[in-house]
């Protein structure tokens, strides 16, 4: 997720190793600011050696590459990074037009929205098609195959100009509050916060009751970035309905971004997350 909301971490890699000395079954690697972090790379390598399946989401593929896990493997990555990836990891076979690629126990994906179909594919492989369909229905997704049109994602001159204007004209920057509540769906939350944070015109802020931490449906603890008693200007506030499915919430968010910031900004966001729009 693009830098947006803040979470509280209650455990560490060492804690995990102490609890599960046999290693993990599955390791999800998101995009990491320092993809060459030696501690993380060493831990991933150890999990891989113990038989874990390693999944690199979006630019998480960089960390897999630096860990040496992509050598002579088929892989994919975010469209914007493909050329650099192929130059740095020339011994990897880079695949286009696939949202996710599996080569034995290494899985890589394109942009961050590919995390949904690849997750459903993993569920299907573990628990069967029926369970995957049930989860797809909950998310509002109709299919999770790997088909993808990589060629359709690029930044045109309009998007470059819009991104520059949005970044430079800081006085138009908006702070958007997201109302947080106990048990909220973190997938919808992540998609909304990520999309708004990619406009270069806005930042999302967690709005909680009394600035207290909030536990989501799966037990992730989100914390308010505001100190107790602190008041900051919120230009608009978003409510994420419990009944709205995550995929539908993303589509709705892109529509709202277009209303607020214009169609080119909407396209700019969709291009970053590799999400096809009309």
């Amino acid at each position: 997720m693009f830098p947006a909301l803040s979470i509280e971490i209650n455990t560490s890699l060492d804690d995990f190793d102490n609890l599960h000395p046999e290693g993990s079954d599955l390791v999800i690697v998101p995009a990491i600011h320092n993809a060459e972090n030696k501690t993380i790379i060493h831990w991933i390598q150890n999990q891989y050696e113990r038989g874990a399946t390693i999944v690199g989401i979006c630019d998480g593929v960089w960390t897999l590459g630096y860990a040496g896990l992509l050598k002579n493997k088929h892989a994919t990555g975010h469209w914007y990074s493909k050329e650099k990836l192929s130059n740095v990891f020339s011994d990897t076979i880079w695949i286009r037009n696939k949202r996710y690629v599996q080569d034995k126990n290494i899985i890589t994906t394109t942009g961050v929205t590919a995390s949904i179909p690849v997750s459903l594919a993993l569920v299907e492989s573990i628990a069967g098609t029926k369970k995957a369909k049930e989860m797809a229905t909950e998310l509002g997704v109709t299919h999770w195959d790997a088909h993808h049109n990589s060629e359709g994602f690029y930044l045109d001159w309009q998007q470059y100009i819009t991104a520059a204007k949005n970044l430079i004209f800081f006085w138009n920057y908006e702070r958007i509050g997201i109302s947080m509540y106990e048990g909220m769906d973190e997938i919808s939350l992540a998609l909304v916060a990520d999309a708004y944070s990619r406009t270069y015109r806005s930042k999302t802020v967690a709005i909680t009751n009394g600035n207290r931490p909030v536990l989501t449906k799966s037990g992730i603890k989100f914390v308010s970035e505001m100190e107790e008693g602190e008041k900051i200007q919120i230009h608009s506030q978003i409510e994420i309905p419990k009944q709205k499915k995550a995929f539908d919430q993303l589509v709705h968010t892109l529509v709202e971004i277009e209303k607020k910031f214009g169609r080119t900004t909407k396209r700019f966001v969709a291009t970053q997350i590799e999400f096809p729009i009309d």
Side-chain angles (χ1 to χ4, degrees):
M1 185 170 71
F2 206 78
L5 305 179
S6 299
I7 63 174
E8 183 178 304
I9 305 299
N10 297 317
T11 189
S12 67
L13 298 179
D14 287 338
D15 292 334
F16 181 89
D17 289 340
N18 290 331
L19 286 170
H20 304 283
E22 74 283 3
S24 57
D25 297 313
L26 188 67
V27 176
I28 308 295
V29 183
I32 300 172
H33 285 298
N34 179 12
E36 298 181 71
N37 183 295
K38 292 182 179 179
T39 299
I40 293 175
I41 285 175
H42 180 66
W43 186 83
I44 291 172
Q45 289 170 332
N46 284 340
Q47 297 304 309
Y48 177 75
E49 290 168 2
R50 288 182 171 89
T53 294
I54 312 295
V55 185
I57 302 293
C58 190
D59 272 349
V61 67
W62 282 98
T63 303
L64 271 62
Y66 287 125
L69 303 185
L70 299 182
K71 186 175 182 179
N72 299 323
K73 291 283 198 306
H74 294 78
T76 190
H78 191 277
W79 66 266
Y80 189 79
S81 302
K82 283 287 183 65
E83 185 175 349
K84 290 182 180 178
L85 284 167
S86 62
N87 289 334
V88 176
F89 307 112
S90 57
D91 52 5
T92 300
I93 305 158
W94 295 102
I95 305 299
R96 301 186 68 83
N97 298 321
K98 295 286 186 182
R99 286 195 288 187
Y100 52 87
V101 172
Q102 179 170 5
D103 192 329
K104 297 180 181 177
N105 57 339
I106 296 294
I107 302 174
T108 50
T109 81
T110 55
V112 68
T113 52
S115 60
I116 293 178
V118 78
S119 295
L120 291 170
L122 286 167
V123 169
E124 184 175 28
S125 68
I126 295 169
T129 302
K130 181 180 178 181
K131 185 62 178 178
K133 286 182 177 179
E134 290 174 1
M135 293 197 67
T137 300
E138 290 180 15
L139 293 169
V141 176
T142 57
H143 61 278
W144 56 91
D145 61 88
H147 177 73
H148 185 61
N149 179 21
S150 300
E151 311 303 327
F153 294 94
Y154 57 90
L155 293 178
D156 58 28
W157 65 270
Q158 289 180 316
Q159 292 182 66
Y160 273 116
I161 291 173
T162 297
K165 287 169 60 178
N166 289 356
L167 193 61
I168 293 170
F169 297 156
F170 58 88
W171 54 86
N172 287 327
Y173 201 76
E174 293 193 19
R175 188 175 283 108
I176 298 174
I178 299 181
S179 299
M180 307 283 290
Y181 53 87
E182 292 289 324
M184 74 184 304
D185 177 48
E186 56 277 304
I187 299 177
S188 295
L189 173 62
L191 291 172
V192 171
D194 189 43
Y196 272 108
S197 297
R198 291 178 185 272
T199 64
Y200 289 17
R201 279 284 306 277
S202 55
K203 172 181 172 55
T204 52
V205 177
I207 305 297
T208 67
N209 186 10
N211 292 342
R212 291 192 294 270
V214 168
L215 282 178
T216 61
K217 184 166 64 175
S218 297
I220 300 175
K221 183 182 287 188
F222 281 82
V223 296
S224 173
E225 296 179 18
M226 295 184 291
E227 299 294 334
E228 187 173 353
E230 179 186 11
K231 292 185 178 180
I232 60 175
Q233 183 180 10
I234 302 295
H235 297 90
S236 59
Q237 192 159 332
I238 299 171
E239 307 284 341
I240 300 179
K242 292 182 180 180
Q243 68 274 16
K244 189 178 283 288
K245 298 177 180 180
F247 184 86
D248 296 336
Q249 186 64 57
L250 174 59
V251 173
H252 173 75
T253 299
L254 290 172
V255 170
E256 291 302 307
I257 286 173
E258 180 175 6
K259 290 178 182 178
K260 186 180 288 288
F261 303 125
R263 177 162 177 78
T264 306
T265 296
K266 171 189 173 181
R267 289 177 52 233
F268 177 57
V269 172
T271 299
Q272 290 178 76
I273 61 178
E274 285 198 58
F275 186 74
I277 58 174
D278 296 331

